[in-house]
């Protein structure tokens, strides 16, 4: 990839990527998704295993690995769709839910992306404040936002490359942190603390699964540039290996820090355990990585916003100026939420995001069943942009019904900061809502497509098959 391409403003928005602009490799996807998780947020999330859920380090590691490996399969199956269809992930939802029906899913994803953008800003600013207490917090947030905005303006290629660079830098710093923890003796003194509990183990496993599925709404935004005929397998394994390896690595680090710091604030505990010099370098690297990785959230949220706008202004093809204006507005919204992070509104908003994750699980189930088992990758992409939705219509009643049922049936099983369902309480706090939503939605949609194909607007298809991802 040439420097000229990196610093050329991307011309494509939500339209299918032309064949002559296709590029990218599996190795490139490994780098971007490895870098995407190199943030303090992943470390803080991993600390939950030992601080909140009370697991021993050994059981925390097992839960983290199993959860991320399972969730990564669903995430990577979405990534493999990008090369074949060549459009952003959320626009593909029109093939299952109809032109207007997909807008509901797109809106949920947009709110979630902006929320994660704000969360990363807050955590990045916290890392900076830990090593430089005298820095103005609002000024730090402004600086982090400005860096993300500049990267997002150039678009796809620069976002990918900056995130890949951060993966090498922070990956090295994480290894230094592990060596320091092991050699310093702090970890050895507490390695046997904590215990196994079914609720704690399954709770951390669920966190790993849902963490990976969080990326499902936008993984193919980065694989859509890959060659159509040869890219699906590389998109699957590149996304899977990069995302699972980095998230598991940083969550394990967080679990270790949480145990060794005896429940103190995770990032301040990491700083203290590493010592002044190493702590400064590692936390500064994390802050930079969070800022760089945030451009991924910002870029994908702009594609969602453009998809939403095009839904209600049919025939309009968003151009570069529309993407740039949307990107700027979304950065301002995310910055405002981050600045208000101490208010009750922001706390409620971030808690609301955890519920949105459950809402997206039935979307993922419908999408994967429809793509791999029902239509076998055979979609009329041009119909996604027609005013009447083409063969997919404006509303797909069957898919929307499955989506609603999949979301509602999770409520009794939910375990969140703002709500705990009665069945979750009866199970001792074990969170299986994601499993219920995924399984029920998969079975219902598959049966509906077989027995009542008119309800899911199945059209005559060719013999096209999806590429084998193995």
């Amino acid at each position: 990839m040439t420097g000229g391409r990196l610093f050329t403003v991307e011309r494509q928005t939500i339209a299918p990527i032309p064949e002559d602009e296709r590029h990218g490799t599996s190795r490139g996807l490994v780098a971007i998704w490895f870098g995407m998780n190199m943030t303090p947020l992943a470390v803080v999330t991993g600390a939950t295993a030992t601080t909140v859920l009370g697991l021993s380090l050994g059981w925390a590691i097992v839960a983290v690995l199993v959860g991320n490996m399972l969730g990564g399969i669903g995430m990577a199956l979405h990534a493999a769709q990008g090369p074949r269809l060549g459009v952003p992930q959320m626009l593909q939802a029109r093939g299952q839910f109809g032109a207007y029906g997909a807008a509901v899913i797109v809106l949920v994803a947009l709110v979630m992306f902006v929320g994660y953008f704000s969360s990363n800003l807050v955590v990045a600013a916290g890392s900076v404040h830990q090593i430089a207490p005298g820095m103005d917090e609002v000024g730090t947030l402004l600086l982090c936002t400005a860096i993300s905005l500049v990267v997002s303006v150039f678009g796809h290629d620069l976002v990918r490359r900056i995130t890949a660079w951060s993966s090498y830098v922070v990956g090295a710093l994480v290894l230094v942190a592990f060596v320091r923890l092991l050699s310093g003796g702090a970890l050895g003194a507490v390695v046997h603390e904590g215990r196994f509990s079914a609720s704690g183990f399954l709770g951390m496993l669920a966190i790993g699964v849902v963490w990976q599925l969080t990326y499902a709404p936008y993984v193919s935004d980065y694989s859509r540039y890959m060659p159509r005929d040869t890219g699906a397998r590389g998109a699957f394994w590149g996304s899977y290996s990069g995302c699972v390896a980095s998230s598991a690595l940083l969550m394990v680090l967080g679990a270790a820090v949480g145990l060794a710091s005896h429940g103190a604030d995770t990032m301040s505990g990491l700083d203290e355990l590493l010592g002044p010099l190493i702590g400064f370098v590692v936390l500064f690297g994390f802050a930079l990585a969070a800022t760089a990785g945030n451009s991924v959230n910002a870029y994908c949220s702009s594609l969602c916003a453009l998809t939403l706008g095009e839904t209600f202004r049919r025939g309009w093809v968003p151009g570069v100026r529309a993407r740039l204006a949307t990107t700027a507005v979304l950065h301002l919204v995310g910055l405002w939420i981050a600045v208000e992070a101490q208010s009750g509104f922001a706390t409620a908003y971030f808690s609301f995001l955890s519920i949105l994750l459950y809402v997206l699980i039935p979307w993922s189930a419908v999408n994967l069943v429809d793509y791999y088992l029902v239509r076998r990758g055979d979609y009329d992409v041009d119909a996604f942009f027609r005013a009447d939705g083409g063969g997919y219509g404006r509303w797909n009643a069957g898919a929307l019904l499955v989506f609603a049922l999949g979301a509602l049936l999770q409520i009794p099983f939910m375990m969140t900061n703002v709500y705990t369902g009665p069945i979750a309480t009866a199970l001792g706090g074990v969170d299986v809502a994601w499993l219920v939503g995924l399984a029920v939605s998969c079975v219902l949609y598959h049966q509906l497509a077989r027995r009542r194909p008119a309800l899911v607007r199945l059209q005559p298809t060719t013999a096209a098959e999806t590429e084998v991802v193995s």
Side-chain angles (χ1 to χ4, degrees):
M1 187 179 297
T2 65
R5 172 177 284 176
L6 281 179
F7 295 101
T8 299
V9 175
E10 181 187 7
R11 310 301 299 177
Q12 299 294 337
T13 56
I14 62 173
I17 304 301
E19 290 297 325
D20 60 356
E21 292 189 29
R22 298 293 188 101
H23 62 278
T25 63
S26 174
R27 183 181 300 176
L29 286 179
V30 172
I32 186 175
W33 290 111
F34 194 86
M36 179 60 189
N37 286 292
M38 288 291 169
T39 67
L41 193 58
V43 180
V44 172
T45 300
T48 303
T50 51
T51 58
V52 177
L53 300 176
L55 292 174
S56 65
L57 184 59
W59 283 112
I61 292 173
V62 174
V64 164
L65 291 176
V66 174
N68 280 281
M69 290 172 69
L70 288 177
I73 296 172
M75 175 274 298
L77 287 172
H78 286 287
Q81 300 171 17
R84 187 179 186 98
L85 302 181
V87 294
Q89 187 78 66
M90 283 293 94
L91 196 138
Q92 297 176 21
R94 294 176 179 176
Q96 296 92 41
F97 297 92
Y100 291 161
V104 177
I105 317 297
V106 175
L107 181 60
V108 171
L110 176 60
V111 173
M112 187 185 73
F113 292 154
V114 174
Y116 275 108
F117 177 84
S118 303
S119 299
N120 274 322
L121 281 181
V122 171
V123 177
S127 295
V128 173
H129 181 72
Q130 181 64 36
I131 58 179
M135 285 195 66
D136 178 67
E137 186 173 351
V138 174
T140 304
L141 291 172
L142 281 168
L143 178 60
C144 292
T145 303
I147 294 172
S148 172
L149 177 60
V150 170
V151 176
S152 302
V153 160
F154 286 101
H156 175 270
D157 288 342
L158 187 59
V159 170
R160 284 185 58 163
R161 181 55 64 91
I162 291 293
T163 309
W165 287 339
S166 72
S167 73
Y168 301 127
V169 174
V170 183
L173 294 177
V174 169
L175 292 178
V176 170
F178 270 115
V179 170
R180 180 75 178 102
L181 286 176
L182 291 171
S183 62
L187 190 58
V190 296
V191 71
H192 297 297
E193 291 186 7
R195 59 185 178 82
F196 172 83
S197 69
S199 60
F201 181 82
L202 293 176
M204 194 60 213
L205 185 148
I207 288 173
V209 170
V210 175
W211 178 277
Q212 293 296 324
L213 292 179
T214 300
Y215 294 119
Y218 60 125
V219 280
S220 73
D221 292 2
Y222 292 95
S223 63
R224 78 191 201 277
Y225 272 90
M226 294 181 72
R228 185 181 190 277
D229 296 331
T230 60
R233 183 178 301 181
F236 178 93
W237 288 112
S239 301
Y240 182 87
S241 57
C243 200
V244 170
S246 59
S247 55
L249 182 66
L250 265 73
M251 285 186 188
V252 168
L253 175 62
V257 171
L259 197 63
S261 61
H262 299 285
D265 174 75
T266 304
M267 300 313 292
S268 61
L270 178 61
D271 184 32
E272 182 178 344
L273 290 168
L274 296 179
L277 178 59
I278 297 178
F280 177 89
V281 174
V282 170
L283 265 65
F284 183 70
F286 272 133
L288 289 179
T291 302
N294 231 3
S295 61
V296 175
N297 289 313
Y299 176 76
C300 296
S301 63
S302 70
L303 296 181
C304 277
L306 293 174
T307 299
L308 199 60
E310 193 270 347
T311 300
F312 301 101
R313 190 182 172 187
R314 306 300 279 180
W316 171 59
V317 180
V320 175
R321 281 189 287 184
R323 183 178 69 82
L324 297 182
T326 302
T327 299
V329 170
L330 291 172
H331 273 79
L332 290 174
V333 173
L335 173 62
W336 173 70
I337 295 172
V339 170
E340 296 294 321
Q342 303 304 315
S343 70
F345 162 75
T347 301
Y349 181 72
F350 292 143
S351 297
F352 179 59
L353 291 178
S354 64
I355 296 177
L356 290 187
L357 295 177
Y358 291 107
V359 174
L360 285 173
I361 285 173
W363 158 77
S364 179
V366 169
N367 174 276
L368 293 177
V369 170
D370 189 73
Y371 186 92
Y372 288 101
L373 300 181
V374 177
R375 303 182 201 268
R376 298 184 180 275
D378 190 14
Y379 290 86
D380 180 3
V381 176
D382 291 338
F384 293 167
F385 298 91
R386 291 177 192 150
D388 61 355
Y392 308 110
R394 291 186 174 89
W395 302 93
N396 188 327
L400 288 167
L401 177 62
V402 171
F403 172 75
L405 287 174
L408 291 173
L409 289 175
Q410 291 180 84
I411 293 176
F413 299 88
M414 283 183 180
M415 182 77 181
T416 71
N417 292 332
V418 294
Y419 172 78
T420 299
I423 298 181
T425 301
L427 292 174
V430 175
D431 185 354
V432 294
W434 63 274
L435 183 59
V436 172
L438 198 63
V440 168
S441 301
C442 283
V443 172
L444 285 181
Y445 188 80
H446 190 256
Q447 290 302 308
L448 200 62
R450 287 183 57 195
R451 302 177 184 229
R452 302 291 297 275
L455 282 178
V456 294
R457 290 185 173 270
L458 294 186
Q459 303 298 312
T461 61
T462 67
E465 298 287 332
T466 54
E467 298 177 63
V468 177
V469 183
S470 61

